[in-house]
DNA sequence: ATCATATTCAATAAATATATTGAATTATTG
DNA sequence: CAATAATTCAATATATTTATTGAATATGAT
């Protein structure tokens, strides 16, 4: 049956990592390899499986083959599944909430609050993902401060505006680290209770 | 990873059939066997897999072990996945729309229309699933007319009220058959564009 | 207790999925 | 057109999944 094939195609830890990576935007095989610690050939084979099952599509440019998720509908489905996992699969719920004091309401900001803050112009929205991911798509108004840049150059932000950091999704800890770091420096900073791909789906639905 | 385990547990054709069956209500192993043409031991083993992965839960009563879906949250997730499949997986879309002229708007009724018709009291809502499935849960106001009863006894309905038939879900053809049969007898009859489990989730959300 | 019935368990064989290796393609650049 | 770089393909070994068979439990009835 076609549904079971599709589900098989996404029910492998490596391929789920690929999907998470591609949720941030298209990547070539090298990019996938870096995001997942698979070998090159192995990554390529998994990508073939996903292509044959309509999970991803490809675009050729010079030497490179760029992979991306097949549709926004699929991205939305993947987020439904992930949300279920974070809420209902005990093991994952624990992992996500593990060392994240940030997820209490004191330290996290909802999309609604963020929109409010943006219209009021008193927020600096930090995208702490790698620069390439920012370039292939980000929340409107965000600035790119990849974690390594934040750590090494310790940029100065205006102390009077509030900071909000976000990253890849519920399993991404970068934003939490950024919050911790900046808090210690005396900034007013919170984590976005959401991520770029979730924001993207929200935009499509409104 | 826990998410891939959960997805593996639902990405098998037999287990998907089990989930579809349990979407209609709890069943013992014998009931699953009848709904899926697996052998007894095989069904039991698949049920163990689903139990160990928090897809189903059990209740013991005398000799029997009754299985049911673990939560309404899971039922909702399964429906999201199914809806995606029907819309986006070409092969399935074709299958469902195959010989279903019923799915054009002339021959199908949305939940909203149905609610309207029910308040206006001029509809006879026919549940054409097996009697046990009706008993373990049905759309409020429906009457149970299993397909075999409909065919053999050819019940007389009031010719002045409109008939609406429903069954298990998008892959269930019983309601289409009922529509065809009753149409030939001169009734005004349409198929519900939805099913009992979808109605159940709607109720929970409102 | 003994028996019958519903379900689970254990052992097996066959099929499928996965990671690794190295060779084969394909497109670009000089 | 040769050289290079990115990707895919093919072959293989290992691990996992699946269905089948028959035996083992557990529960209720006689």
């Amino acid at each position: 049956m076609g549904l079971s094939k599709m589900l098989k195609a996404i029910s492998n830890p490596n391929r789920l990592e690929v999907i998470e990576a591609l949720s941030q935007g298209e990547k070539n095989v090298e990019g996938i390899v870096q995001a997942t610690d698979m070998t090159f050939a192995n990554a390529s084979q998994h990508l073939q499986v996903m292509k044959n099952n309509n999970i991803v599509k490809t675009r050729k440019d010079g030497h490179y083959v760029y992979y991306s998720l097949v549709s926004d509908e699929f991205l939305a489905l993947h987020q439904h599944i992930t949300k279920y996992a974070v809420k209902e699969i005990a093991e994952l719920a624990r992992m996500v909430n593990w060392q994240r004091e940030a997820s209490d309401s004191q330290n996290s900001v909802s999309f609604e609050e963020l929109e409010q803050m943006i219209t009021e112009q008193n927020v600096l929205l930090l995208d702490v993902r790698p620069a390439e991911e920012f370039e292939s798509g980000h929340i409107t108004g965000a600035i790119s401060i990849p974690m390594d840049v934040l750590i090494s150059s310790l940029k100065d932000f205006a102390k009077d505006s509030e900071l909000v950091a976000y990253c890849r999704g519920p399993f991404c800890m970068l934003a939490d680290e950024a919050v911790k770091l900046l808090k210690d420096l005396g900034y007013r900073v919170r984590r976005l209770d959401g991520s770029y791909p979730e924001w993207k789906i929200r935009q499509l639905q409104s």
Side-chain angles (χ1 to χ4, degrees), chain A residues 36 63 101 108 128 137 146 189:
Chain A
T36 61
H63 280 262
E101 315 94 43
S108 80
V128 297
V189 54

Side-chain angles (χ1 to χ4, degrees), chain A residues 59-93:
Chain A
R59 170 179 81 80
K60 254 190 157 170
D61 185 6
H63 280 262
Y64 303 91
V65 178
Y66 288 93
Y67 281 86
S68 56
L69 295 184
V70 71
S71 66
D72 291 328
E73 284 74 24
F74 178 78
L75 178 59
L77 176 66
H78 177 249
Q79 272 175 46
H80 261 118
I81 295 172
T82 304
K83 252 181 208 157
Y84 175 82
V86 170
K87 266 199 209 167
E88 309 291 334
I89 301 183
E91 179 196 339
L92 294 183

Side-chain angles (χ1 to χ4, degrees), chain A residues 24-60:
Chain A
Q24 314 302 323
E26 67 171 14
K27 283 184 160 58
N28 59 19
V29 186
E30 174 64 25
I32 301 284
V33 166
Q34 288 173 1
T36 61
D37 78 346
M38 281 186 271
T39 66
F40 210 99
N42 195 200
S44 176
Q45 288 192 165
H46 278 299
L47 286 165
Q48 296 313 305
V49 171
M50 297 173 85
K51 193 180 176 184
N52 294 333
N53 287 280
N54 261 283
I55 307 298
V56 302
K57 60 183 196 293
T58 58
R59 170 179 81 80
K60 254 190 157 170

Side-chain angles (χ1 to χ4, degrees), chain A residues 175-189:
Chain A
D176 297 306
E177 288 168 31
V179 166
K180 197 177 238 174
L181 209 71
L182 291 166
K183 208 158 207 163
D184 289 346
L185 292 174
Y187 288 101
R188 285 184 301 144
V189 54

Side-chain angles (χ1 to χ4, degrees), chain A residues 97-108:
Chain A
N97 295 323
W98 177 45
Q99 217 173 17
R100 181 177 293 175
E101 315 94 43
S103 85
D104 60 51
S105 58
Q106 272 226 329
N107 289 319
S108 80

Side-chain angles (χ1 to χ4, degrees), chain A residues 17 45 75 86 95 148 156 162 171 175 184 194:
Chain A
E17 272 197 78
Q45 288 192 165
L75 178 59
V86 170
M95 191 220 285
D148 47 347
D156 256 343
E162 204 171 350
F171 304 118
D184 289 346

